[in-house]
Amino acid sequence: MLVYALGGGRGHAVRGSVLAAALQRSGAEARVLVPTRAVEVPALLGVPCVPCPRPRDAAALRRFVLDTCERHAVRALLVDTFPEGLLGELCEGPAGPPRVGLLRCRRDAASESFLRGVRQLRLALDLEPHLGWLPRDVAAEALGPVTRPLAPTPSPVDVLVVASEPALVPTLGRLSLRLGEQGMRVALAAEGRLVAPGVDRPAFPLPPSFLGAKVVVGAAGFNLTYEAHALGAWHVALPRARSHDDQRRRAAALGRTVDSPLALERLVARLVTDAGRAPRRVDVLPAEVVARRVLAVV
Amino acid sequence: MSRCRETSGILFQKACRAAAELACAQCQRPICRAHARSVATRDVCVACARTALRDPGWRQSLVHLRDDPYFYWYYHPGYGDPYGPGDYRLFDEEGRFGAGVDDPWQGT
Ligand SMILES: [Zn+2]
Ligand SMILES: [Zn+2]
């Protein structure tokens, strides 16, 4: 089995690797297709990967994917987020192995290219049915969000601040410093490092103990949102603009949002001192659930 | 050769294990290259540069530290409100939502 996990950032690579690992634990042979720049993700999660260099165009990517399927005798292609292929390449030319779609929220869910991709799937699994993002006439099975296995562990900090992209670093760095000055125990993940009093380590993968802080501040991408949610942390979200992902929708459903840096600081301080754990709004599933569902149809 | 005595980290304090290569021109303590910053053509330690940054009279000549990880959260852009226009812009991206802003082959 091949998990197609191409796309910007690392979210696709993380989700795809987590699923490939679960498939392997279920006895299937699975590897994950990730952009060459993201190969450290499957490596850290212990999953065999196929690195995909930046293709010249959709036709080149189609050839690369089909060749990979042939070389590894792939029986099924599990496509993360882009049922039509990242460049629309899966809908053109020879069909290749049957495809299962792992669909997370997309802003362009009504677009013809996405719908065409969905129609070609053997099975479509909606990872975010609670967001109501899929057009009503799309036949997809409501599943739920999946994350890597996360055991709840007491957190050494009150607040985990995740500056996952350069644009967030100055503001969230200032925020971290100011929260620390107010007496909160703060950890900051920025520029690949996780730093906290007495801690300086690679940021990826974020340890569950830090994700289980009282409050997690960061963008509203899939993995951070559901990992924090699974561990009962309040997610104070700064939704980021993306060409496909709808972080505002996710943040509105699961997190708390604010409209200025000072409001952010005040909300974090209030949640740390006043609030209990964040309410459970959706059940976050272990990847095994998806693996079982996939193995039942291919 | 003595050890660097600077304890300023990017965010939190910690001891530096590097060998000292020069002395801070302001406080005279031994520091390593990584902890030296140029302020008005003198090499000073990170802590002394941060002190200078808090003085409005110095800010203008220290703009080169703006993108330095040791400084960008010390670079408080306003007075009264510790956050500046760049910080507020993060919360005001109405216009950018809907625009294709990420390259599918880029990482973060
Ligand atoms: Zn040093
Ligand atoms: Zn000094």
Side-chain angles (χ1 to χ4, degrees), chain A residues 2 7 10-11 34 40 59 64 74 91 105 113 157-159 170 175 193 202 210 237 245 255 268 274 291 293:
Chain A
L2 181 68
R10 323 173 178 259
V34 297
E40 82 279 8
F64 186 88
V74 168
C91 284
C105 175
S113 64
V157 292
D158 303 310
V159 186
L175 173 79
R193 305 295 297 175
F210 286 85
D245 193 11
V268 172
D274 297 349
R293 191 66 197 94

Side-chain angles (χ1 to χ4, degrees), chain A residues 61-78:
Chain A
L61 183 53
R62 178 168 64 242
R63 265 195 310 279
F64 186 88
V65 174
L66 291 178
D67 285 354
T68 303
C69 288
E70 217 169 276
R71 189 151 24 97
H72 296 290
V74 168
R75 285 191 302 118
L77 187 61
L78 275 52

Side-chain angles (χ1 to χ4, degrees), chain B residues 25-40:
Chain B
Q26 184 68 26
C27 70
Q28 319 305 334
R29 62 180 169 165
I31 51 171
C32 71
R33 273 282 151 210
H35 275 122
R37 294 296 181 278
S38 169
V39 171

Side-chain angles (χ1 to χ4, degrees), chain B residues 6 23-29 31 35 43-49 51:
Chain B
E6 177 60 277
C24 169
Q26 184 68 26
C27 70
Q28 319 305 334
R29 62 180 169 165
I31 51 171
H35 275 122
D43 283 327
V44 302
C45 69
V46 167
C48 288
T51 305

